Amino acid sequence: MQHQNKPSTDSAVLHAEAGRRWVWLEREHPELAETIAFGRGLVALYIDELPNGGGVPLTVEAAREKLRSGLPLLEGEDLDLDLPGLRHFFARLCAWAHEQPELAATAERLQQGLDADEVRVDDLLADALAREEGALDPVAARLAIDPTILHMMTGFLVSAALMSAARANGPLLVEAAVAWEEPVCPICGGPPLLAELQGSSGERMLRCGGCGTGWRTLANRCAHCGNTDDKTLHSLAAEGREEKYRVDLCDRCHGYLKSVTSFAPTPRELLTIEDAAMLHLDAAARARGYTATPGGAV
Ligand SMILES: [Zn+2]
Ligand SMILES: [Zn+2]
């Protein structure tokens, strides 16, 4: 069956890499024990259960035109999502949530609701993808579950859909070869989660928080507002970690973006581990009055 992704060499490599990164994080940041315990199972789900599908019906020429006019590839398109694969992902997600003490009761009720056809994964996905505030509240009320946890669970489902779409449309983005200058992801339109300084050249890539796509940007420009004035751009790092992790700050828009030096692009399934490794930088930037979403995006 299409959605039963067999363990592949790729997934074995990703599991091994994830394991190494978690062990490092545990050693460097013992205060993150709970975050790490939570994230391990979740990252494993994205490695093993990410569905296929999500391609857009665009020719290379149409994709190029769309990107040149500043529109992300997925915008306004009917996605060819792998719905059976996404239902399977959500079932596995509920099983994982059932093992998390703070999510267990909600996960159980949600699973009951799915089994009894009181709620459908396809509808949850459509509501979550529409990003209309409060769209999921009636479902939470009907099932008498915590709306915050339902939002979080459907957020993980949306990530699975977007990550599969990014994987499906990645080659089209490369073939279109458009210099993308927008502050959002060229595939899904999401905001950057972090910047990666890659390779010996230090080329700077932004990585999408929604689908994991990377896109090239100038080394010394605010990813949010495009500011290139050195006098209002600076960065912060933890002592002894300046080479690897830092956070870039902009005094024009008061936005911040975390930045990691990485010789190869971080696999999209593992970005969340790098994000966790920089939680202390999020806190440091916020304490100084900067925000990750100066445009007001979520
Ligand atoms: Zn994206
Ligand atoms: Zn800025």
CSV table of all heavy atoms in Angstrom, one decimal, residues 109-163:
chain,number,residue,atom,x,y,z
A,109,ARG,N,-9.5,10.5,23.2
A,109,ARG,CA,-10.9,11.0,22.8
A,109,ARG,C,-10.9,11.3,21.3
A,109,ARG,O,-11.9,11.0,20.6
A,109,ARG,CB,-11.2,12.3,23.6
A,109,ARG,CG,-12.5,12.9,23.2
A,109,ARG,CD,-13.7,12.0,23.7
A,109,ARG,NE,-15.0,12.5,23.1
A,109,ARG,CZ,-15.5,12.0,22.0
A,109,ARG,NH1,-15.0,11.1,21.3
A,109,ARG,NH2,-16.7,12.5,21.6
A,110,LEU,N,-9.8,11.8,20.8
A,110,LEU,CA,-9.7,12.1,19.3
A,110,LEU,C,-9.8,10.8,18.5
A,110,LEU,O,-10.5,10.7,17.5
A,110,LEU,CB,-8.4,12.8,19.1
A,110,LEU,CG,-8.2,13.6,17.8
A,110,LEU,CD1,-9.4,14.5,17.5
A,110,LEU,CD2,-6.9,14.4,17.9
A,111,GLN,N,-9.0,9.8,19.0
A,111,GLN,CA,-9.0,8.5,18.3
A,111,GLN,C,-10.5,7.9,18.3
A,111,GLN,O,-10.9,7.4,17.3
A,111,GLN,CB,-8.0,7.6,19.0
A,111,GLN,CG,-7.8,6.3,18.2
A,111,GLN,CD,-7.3,6.5,16.8
A,111,GLN,OE1,-6.2,7.1,16.6
A,111,GLN,NE2,-8.0,6.1,15.8
A,112,GLN,N,-11.1,8.0,19.5
A,112,GLN,CA,-12.5,7.5,19.5
A,112,GLN,C,-13.4,8.3,18.5
A,112,GLN,O,-14.2,7.7,17.8
A,112,GLN,CB,-13.1,7.8,20.9
A,112,GLN,CG,-12.8,6.8,22.0
A,112,GLN,CD,-13.3,7.4,23.4
A,112,GLN,OE1,-14.0,8.4,23.5
A,112,GLN,NE2,-13.0,6.6,24.4
A,113,GLY,N,-13.2,9.6,18.5
A,113,GLY,CA,-14.0,10.4,17.5
A,113,GLY,C,-13.7,10.0,16.1
A,113,GLY,O,-14.7,10.0,15.3
A,114,LEU,N,-12.5,9.7,15.8
A,114,LEU,CA,-12.1,9.2,14.4
A,114,LEU,C,-12.8,7.9,14.1
A,114,LEU,O,-13.3,7.7,13.0
A,114,LEU,CB,-10.6,9.2,14.2
A,114,LEU,CG,-9.9,10.5,14.3
A,114,LEU,CD1,-8.4,10.3,14.4
A,114,LEU,CD2,-10.2,11.3,13.0
A,115,ASP,N,-12.7,7.0,15.1
A,115,ASP,CA,-13.2,5.6,14.9
A,115,ASP,C,-14.7,5.7,14.7
A,115,ASP,O,-15.2,4.9,13.9
A,115,ASP,CB,-12.9,4.7,16.1
A,115,ASP,CG,-11.4,4.4,16.2
A,115,ASP,OD1,-10.7,4.7,15.2
A,115,ASP,OD2,-10.9,4.0,17.3
A,116,ALA,N,-15.4,6.6,15.4
A,116,ALA,CA,-16.8,6.6,15.3
A,116,ALA,C,-17.3,7.6,14.2
A,116,ALA,O,-18.5,7.9,14.1
A,116,ALA,CB,-17.4,7.1,16.7
A,117,ASP,N,-16.4,8.1,13.4
A,117,ASP,CA,-16.7,9.0,12.3
A,117,ASP,C,-17.3,10.3,12.8
A,117,ASP,O,-18.1,11.0,12.1
A,117,ASP,CB,-17.6,8.3,11.3
A,117,ASP,CG,-17.1,8.6,9.9
A,117,ASP,OD1,-16.0,9.1,9.7
A,117,ASP,OD2,-17.9,8.3,8.9
A,118,GLU,N,-17.1,10.7,14.1
A,118,GLU,CA,-17.5,12.0,14.6
A,118,GLU,C,-16.7,13.1,14.0
A,118,GLU,O,-17.1,14.3,14.0
A,118,GLU,CB,-17.4,12.1,16.1
A,118,GLU,CG,-18.3,11.2,16.9
A,118,GLU,CD,-17.9,11.2,18.4
A,118,GLU,OE1,-18.5,12.1,19.1
A,118,GLU,OE2,-17.1,10.4,18.8
A,119,VAL,N,-15.5,12.8,13.6
A,119,VAL,CA,-14.6,13.7,13.0
A,119,VAL,C,-13.7,13.0,12.0
A,119,VAL,O,-13.5,11.8,12.1
A,119,VAL,CB,-13.7,14.4,14.2
A,119,VAL,CG1,-12.9,13.4,14.9
A,119,VAL,CG2,-12.8,15.4,13.6
A,120,ARG,N,-13.4,13.7,10.9
A,120,ARG,CA,-12.6,13.1,9.8
A,120,ARG,C,-11.2,13.8,9.7
A,120,ARG,O,-11.2,15.1,9.8
A,120,ARG,CB,-13.4,13.1,8.5
A,120,ARG,CG,-14.7,12.3,8.6
A,120,ARG,CD,-15.5,12.5,7.3
A,120,ARG,NE,-14.8,12.1,6.1
A,120,ARG,CZ,-14.6,12.8,5.0
A,120,ARG,NH1,-15.2,14.0,5.0
A,120,ARG,NH2,-14.0,12.4,4.0
A,121,VAL,N,-10.2,13.0,9.5
A,121,VAL,CA,-8.9,13.6,9.3
A,121,VAL,C,-8.9,14.6,8.1
A,121,VAL,O,-8.3,15.7,8.2
A,121,VAL,CB,-7.8,12.5,9.1
A,121,VAL,CG1,-6.5,13.1,8.8
A,121,VAL,CG2,-7.7,11.6,10.3
A,122,ASP,N,-9.6,14.2,7.0
A,122,ASP,CA,-9.6,15.1,5.9
A,122,ASP,C,-10.1,16.5,6.2
A,122,ASP,O,-9.6,17.5,5.7
A,122,ASP,CB,-10.4,14.5,4.7
A,122,ASP,CG,-10.0,13.2,4.3
A,122,ASP,OD1,-9.2,12.5,5.1
A,122,ASP,OD2,-10.3,12.7,3.2
A,123,ASP,N,-11.2,16.5,7.1
A,123,ASP,CA,-11.8,17.8,7.5
A,123,ASP,C,-10.8,18.6,8.4
A,123,ASP,O,-10.7,19.8,8.3
A,123,ASP,CB,-13.1,17.6,8.2
A,123,ASP,CG,-14.1,17.0,7.2
A,123,ASP,OD1,-14.0,17.1,6.0
A,123,ASP,OD2,-15.0,16.3,7.7
A,124,LEU,N,-10.2,17.9,9.3
A,124,LEU,CA,-9.2,18.5,10.2
A,124,LEU,C,-8.1,19.2,9.4
A,124,LEU,O,-7.7,20.3,9.6
A,124,LEU,CB,-8.6,17.5,11.2
A,124,LEU,CG,-9.5,16.9,12.3
A,124,LEU,CD1,-8.8,15.9,13.1
A,124,LEU,CD2,-10.0,18.0,13.2
A,125,LEU,N,-7.6,18.4,8.4
A,125,LEU,CA,-6.6,18.9,7.6
A,125,LEU,C,-7.0,20.2,6.8
A,125,LEU,O,-6.3,21.2,6.7
A,125,LEU,CB,-6.1,17.8,6.6
A,125,LEU,CG,-5.0,18.2,5.6
A,125,LEU,CD1,-3.7,18.5,6.4
A,125,LEU,CD2,-4.7,17.1,4.6
A,126,ALA,N,-8.2,20.1,6.2
A,126,ALA,CA,-8.7,21.2,5.4
A,126,ALA,C,-8.9,22.5,6.3
A,126,ALA,O,-8.5,23.6,5.9
A,126,ALA,CB,-10.0,20.9,4.7
A,127,ASP,N,-9.4,22.3,7.5
A,127,ASP,CA,-9.6,23.4,8.4
A,127,ASP,C,-8.2,24.0,8.8
A,127,ASP,O,-8.1,25.2,8.8
A,127,ASP,CB,-10.3,23.0,9.7
A,127,ASP,CG,-11.8,22.8,9.4
A,127,ASP,OD1,-12.3,23.2,8.4
A,127,ASP,OD2,-12.5,22.1,10.3
A,128,ALA,N,-7.3,23.1,9.1
A,128,ALA,CA,-6.0,23.6,9.6
A,128,ALA,C,-5.2,24.3,8.4
A,128,ALA,O,-4.5,25.3,8.6
A,128,ALA,CB,-5.2,22.4,10.1
A,129,LEU,N,-5.3,23.7,7.2
A,129,LEU,CA,-4.6,24.3,6.1
A,129,LEU,C,-5.2,25.7,5.7
A,129,LEU,O,-4.5,26.6,5.2
A,129,LEU,CB,-4.7,23.4,4.8
A,129,LEU,CG,-3.7,22.3,4.7
A,129,LEU,CD1,-4.1,21.3,3.6
A,129,LEU,CD2,-2.3,22.8,4.6
A,130,ALA,N,-6.5,25.9,6.0
A,130,ALA,CA,-7.1,27.2,5.7
A,130,ALA,C,-6.6,28.3,6.6
A,130,ALA,O,-6.7,29.5,6.3
A,130,ALA,CB,-8.6,27.1,5.8
A,131,ARG,N,-6.0,27.9,7.7
A,131,ARG,CA,-5.5,28.8,8.7
A,131,ARG,C,-6.4,29.9,9.2
A,131,ARG,O,-6.0,31.0,9.4
A,131,ARG,CB,-4.2,29.5,8.2
A,131,ARG,CG,-3.1,28.5,7.9
A,131,ARG,CD,-1.8,29.2,7.6
A,131,ARG,NE,-0.8,28.3,7.0
A,131,ARG,CZ,0.0,27.5,7.7
A,131,ARG,NH1,0.0,27.5,9.0
A,131,ARG,NH2,0.9,26.7,7.1
A,132,GLU,N,-7.7,29.6,9.2
A,132,GLU,CA,-8.7,30.5,9.7
A,132,GLU,C,-8.8,30.4,11.2
A,132,GLU,O,-9.0,29.3,11.7
A,132,GLU,CB,-10.1,30.3,9.1
A,132,GLU,CG,-10.2,31.0,7.7
A,132,GLU,CD,-11.5,30.5,7.0
A,132,GLU,OE1,-12.5,30.3,7.7
A,132,GLU,OE2,-11.4,30.4,5.8
A,133,GLU,N,-8.6,31.5,11.8
A,133,GLU,CA,-8.6,31.5,13.3
A,133,GLU,C,-9.9,30.9,13.8
A,133,GLU,O,-11.0,31.3,13.4
A,133,GLU,CB,-8.3,32.9,13.9
A,133,GLU,CG,-7.7,32.8,15.3
A,133,GLU,CD,-7.2,34.1,15.7
A,133,GLU,OE1,-6.7,34.9,14.9
A,133,GLU,OE2,-7.3,34.4,16.9
A,134,GLY,N,-9.8,30.0,14.8
A,134,GLY,CA,-11.0,29.4,15.4
A,134,GLY,C,-11.7,28.4,14.6
A,134,GLY,O,-12.7,27.8,15.0
A,135,ALA,N,-11.2,28.0,13.4
A,135,ALA,CA,-11.8,27.0,12.5
A,135,ALA,C,-12.0,25.7,13.2
A,135,ALA,O,-13.0,24.9,12.9
A,135,ALA,CB,-11.1,26.9,11.2
A,136,LEU,N,-11.1,25.3,14.1
A,136,LEU,CA,-11.1,24.0,14.7
A,136,LEU,C,-11.9,24.0,16.1
A,136,LEU,O,-12.1,23.0,16.6
A,136,LEU,CB,-9.7,23.5,15.0
A,136,LEU,CG,-8.9,23.1,13.7
A,136,LEU,CD1,-7.4,23.1,14.0
A,136,LEU,CD2,-9.4,21.8,13.2
A,137,ASP,N,-12.2,25.2,16.5
A,137,ASP,CA,-12.9,25.3,17.8
A,137,ASP,C,-14.2,24.5,17.9
A,137,ASP,O,-14.4,23.8,19.0
A,137,ASP,CB,-13.1,26.8,18.2
A,137,ASP,CG,-11.8,27.5,18.5
A,137,ASP,OD1,-10.8,26.8,18.6
A,137,ASP,OD2,-11.8,28.7,18.7
A,138,PRO,N,-15.0,24.5,16.9
A,138,PRO,CA,-16.3,23.7,17.0
A,138,PRO,C,-16.0,22.2,17.2
A,138,PRO,O,-16.7,21.5,17.9
A,138,PRO,CB,-17.0,24.0,15.7
A,138,PRO,CG,-16.4,25.3,15.2
A,138,PRO,CD,-15.0,25.3,15.7
A,139,VAL,N,-14.9,21.8,16.5
A,139,VAL,CA,-14.6,20.3,16.6
A,139,VAL,C,-14.2,20.0,18.1
A,139,VAL,O,-14.6,19.0,18.7
A,139,VAL,CB,-13.4,20.0,15.6
A,139,VAL,CG1,-13.1,18.5,15.8
A,139,VAL,CG2,-13.8,20.3,14.2
A,140,ALA,N,-13.3,20.9,18.6
A,140,ALA,CA,-12.8,20.7,20.0
A,140,ALA,C,-14.0,20.7,20.9
A,140,ALA,O,-14.1,19.9,21.9
A,140,ALA,CB,-11.8,21.8,20.4
A,141,ALA,N,-15.0,21.6,20.7
A,141,ALA,CA,-16.2,21.7,21.6
A,141,ALA,C,-17.0,20.4,21.5
A,141,ALA,O,-17.5,19.9,22.5
A,141,ALA,CB,-17.0,22.9,21.2
A,142,ARG,N,-17.2,20.0,20.2
A,142,ARG,CA,-18.0,18.8,20.0
A,142,ARG,C,-17.4,17.6,20.7
A,142,ARG,O,-18.2,16.7,21.2
A,142,ARG,CB,-18.2,18.6,18.5
A,142,ARG,CG,-19.3,17.7,18.1
A,142,ARG,CD,-19.6,17.8,16.6
A,142,ARG,NE,-18.7,17.1,15.8
A,142,ARG,CZ,-18.0,17.7,14.8
A,142,ARG,NH1,-18.2,19.0,14.5
A,142,ARG,NH2,-17.1,17.0,14.1
A,143,LEU,N,-16.1,17.4,20.6
A,143,LEU,CA,-15.5,16.3,21.2
A,143,LEU,C,-15.1,16.5,22.7
A,143,LEU,O,-14.6,15.6,23.4
A,143,LEU,CB,-14.2,15.9,20.5
A,143,LEU,CG,-14.3,15.5,19.0
A,143,LEU,CD1,-13.0,15.2,18.4
A,143,LEU,CD2,-15.3,14.3,18.9
A,144,ALA,N,-15.3,17.7,23.2
A,144,ALA,CA,-15.0,18.1,24.5
A,144,ALA,C,-13.5,17.9,24.8
A,144,ALA,O,-13.1,17.2,25.8
A,144,ALA,CB,-15.9,17.4,25.6
A,145,ILE,N,-12.6,18.4,23.9
A,145,ILE,CA,-11.2,18.2,24.1
A,145,ILE,C,-10.6,19.6,24.1
A,145,ILE,O,-11.2,20.6,23.7
A,145,ILE,CB,-10.5,17.4,23.0
A,145,ILE,CG1,-10.8,17.9,21.6
A,145,ILE,CG2,-10.9,15.9,23.1
A,145,ILE,CD1,-10.1,17.2,20.5
A,146,ASP,N,-9.3,19.7,24.6
A,146,ASP,CA,-8.6,20.9,24.8
A,146,ASP,C,-8.3,21.5,23.4
A,146,ASP,O,-7.6,20.8,22.6
A,146,ASP,CB,-7.3,20.6,25.5
A,146,ASP,CG,-6.5,21.9,25.8
A,146,ASP,OD1,-6.7,22.9,25.1
A,146,ASP,OD2,-5.6,21.8,26.7
A,147,PRO,N,-8.8,22.7,23.0
A,147,PRO,CA,-8.6,23.2,21.7
A,147,PRO,C,-7.1,23.5,21.4
A,147,PRO,O,-6.6,23.3,20.2
A,147,PRO,CB,-9.4,24.5,21.6
A,147,PRO,CG,-9.7,24.8,23.0
A,147,PRO,CD,-9.7,23.5,23.8
A,148,THR,N,-6.3,23.8,22.4
A,148,THR,CA,-4.9,24.0,22.2
A,148,THR,C,-4.2,22.8,21.7
A,148,THR,O,-3.3,22.8,20.8
A,148,THR,CB,-4.2,24.5,23.5
A,148,THR,OG1,-5.1,25.5,24.1
A,148,THR,CG2,-2.8,25.1,23.3
A,149,ILE,N,-4.6,21.6,22.3
A,149,ILE,CA,-3.9,20.4,21.9
A,149,ILE,C,-4.4,20.0,20.5
A,149,ILE,O,-3.6,19.5,19.7
A,149,ILE,CB,-4.2,19.3,23.0
A,149,ILE,CG1,-3.5,19.7,24.3
A,149,ILE,CG2,-3.7,17.9,22.5
A,149,ILE,CD1,-3.8,18.7,25.4
A,150,LEU,N,-5.7,20.2,20.3
A,150,LEU,CA,-6.2,19.9,18.9
A,150,LEU,C,-5.4,20.7,17.8
A,150,LEU,O,-5.0,20.2,16.8
A,150,LEU,CB,-7.7,20.1,18.8
A,150,LEU,CG,-8.3,19.8,17.4
A,150,LEU,CD1,-8.2,18.3,17.1
A,150,LEU,CD2,-9.8,20.2,17.4
A,151,HIS,N,-5.2,22.0,18.2
A,151,HIS,CA,-4.4,22.9,17.2
A,151,HIS,C,-3.0,22.3,17.0
A,151,HIS,O,-2.5,22.3,15.9
A,151,HIS,CB,-4.4,24.3,17.8
A,151,HIS,CG,-5.6,25.1,17.4
A,151,HIS,ND1,-5.7,25.8,16.3
A,151,HIS,CD2,-6.7,25.4,18.1
A,151,HIS,CE1,-6.9,26.4,16.2
A,151,HIS,NE2,-7.5,26.2,17.4
A,152,MET,N,-2.4,21.9,18.1
A,152,MET,CA,-1.1,21.4,18.0
A,152,MET,C,-1.0,20.1,17.2
A,152,MET,O,-0.2,20.0,16.3
A,152,MET,CB,-0.5,21.1,19.4
A,152,MET,CG,0.9,20.7,19.4
A,152,MET,SD,1.5,20.5,21.1
A,152,MET,CE,0.7,19.0,21.6
A,153,MET,N,-2.0,19.2,17.4
A,153,MET,CA,-2.0,17.9,16.7
A,153,MET,C,-2.2,18.2,15.2
A,153,MET,O,-1.6,17.6,14.3
A,153,MET,CB,-3.1,17.0,17.2
A,153,MET,CG,-2.9,16.6,18.7
A,153,MET,SD,-1.8,15.2,18.9
A,153,MET,CE,-2.9,13.9,18.2
A,154,THR,N,-3.2,19.1,14.9
A,154,THR,CA,-3.4,19.3,13.5
A,154,THR,C,-2.3,20.1,12.8
A,154,THR,O,-2.0,20.0,11.7
A,154,THR,CB,-4.8,20.1,13.3
A,154,THR,OG1,-4.8,21.3,14.1
A,154,THR,CG2,-6.0,19.2,13.6
A,155,GLY,N,-1.6,20.9,13.7
A,155,GLY,CA,-0.4,21.6,13.2
A,155,GLY,C,0.7,20.6,12.7
A,155,GLY,O,1.3,20.7,11.7
A,156,PHE,N,0.8,19.5,13.5
A,156,PHE,CA,1.8,18.4,13.1
A,156,PHE,C,1.3,17.7,11.8
A,156,PHE,O,2.1,17.4,11.0
A,156,PHE,CB,1.9,17.4,14.2
A,156,PHE,CG,2.5,17.9,15.5
A,156,PHE,CD1,2.1,17.4,16.7
A,156,PHE,CD2,3.6,18.8,15.4
A,156,PHE,CE1,2.7,17.9,17.9
A,156,PHE,CE2,4.2,19.3,16.6
A,156,PHE,CZ,3.8,18.8,17.8
A,157,LEU,N,0.0,17.6,11.7
A,157,LEU,CA,-0.6,17.0,10.4
A,157,LEU,C,-0.3,17.9,9.2
A,157,LEU,O,0.1,17.4,8.1
A,157,LEU,CB,-2.1,16.8,10.6
A,157,LEU,CG,-2.8,16.3,9.4
A,157,LEU,CD1,-2.4,14.8,9.1
A,157,LEU,CD2,-4.4,16.3,9.7
A,158,VAL,N,-0.5,19.2,9.4
A,158,VAL,CA,-0.2,20.2,8.3
A,158,VAL,C,1.3,20.1,8.0
A,158,VAL,O,1.6,20.1,6.8
A,158,VAL,CB,-0.6,21.6,8.7
A,158,VAL,CG1,-0.1,22.7,7.8
A,158,VAL,CG2,-2.2,21.7,8.8
A,159,SER,N,2.1,20.0,9.0
A,159,SER,CA,3.6,19.9,8.7
A,159,SER,C,3.8,18.7,7.8
A,159,SER,O,4.6,18.8,6.9
A,159,SER,CB,4.4,19.8,10.0
A,159,SER,OG,4.4,21.0,10.7
A,160,ALA,N,3.2,17.6,8.1
A,160,ALA,CA,3.4,16.4,7.3
A,160,ALA,C,3.0,16.6,5.9
A,160,ALA,O,3.7,16.2,4.9
A,160,ALA,CB,2.7,15.2,7.9
A,161,ALA,N,1.8,17.3,5.7
A,161,ALA,CA,1.3,17.5,4.3
A,161,ALA,C,2.3,18.5,3.6
A,161,ALA,O,2.6,18.3,2.4
A,161,ALA,CB,-0.1,18.2,4.4
A,162,LEU,N,2.7,19.5,4.3
A,162,LEU,CA,3.6,20.5,3.6
A,162,LEU,C,5.0,19.9,3.3
A,162,LEU,O,5.6,20.2,2.3
A,162,LEU,CB,3.7,21.8,4.5
A,162,LEU,CG,2.4,22.6,4.6
A,162,LEU,CD1,2.7,23.8,5.5
A,162,LEU,CD2,1.9,23.1,3.3
A,163,MET,N,5.5,19.1,4.3
A,163,MET,CA,6.8,18.5,4.0
A,163,MET,C,6.7,17.6,2.9
A,163,MET,O,7.6,17.5,2.1
A,163,MET,CB,7.3,17.8,5.3
A,163,MET,CG,7.8,18.8,6.3
A,163,MET,SD,8.0,18.1,8.0
A,163,MET,CE,9.4,17.0,7.8
